[in-house]
Amino acid sequence: MRELVGTDNTAAFIAAAAHREVQARTMDALVAGDTGANTSSHTGTGPGCGTASAGDAGST
């Protein structure tokens, strides 16, 4: 993976991939009618969430 995105972008790539997976699972749950899950609390769709860019990954 480092060969594809470079050493400097590895952390951002991993963070973006994880975010994409969470969103895909949320969408799958919504399509399936899974109303028992509170998807806004762990998907980054709540207030103040999703404000970091992929470039912010690994900056903490």
Side-chain angles (χ1 to χ4, degrees):
M1 175 184 50
R2 286 186 184 127
E3 293 176 10
L4 292 174
V5 299
T7 303
D8 292 342
N9 293 324
T10 300
F13 182 86
I14 292 169
H19 183 71
R20 182 178 180 180
E21 179 65 21
V22 169
Q23 286 189 331
R25 290 179 185 217
T26 300
M27 291 176 70
D28 289 345
L30 291 169
V31 169
D34 186 5
T35 59
N38 182 1
T39 57
S40 64
S41 64
H42 63 278
T43 61
T45 59
C49 294
T51 56
S53 67
D56 293 335
S59 63
T60 57

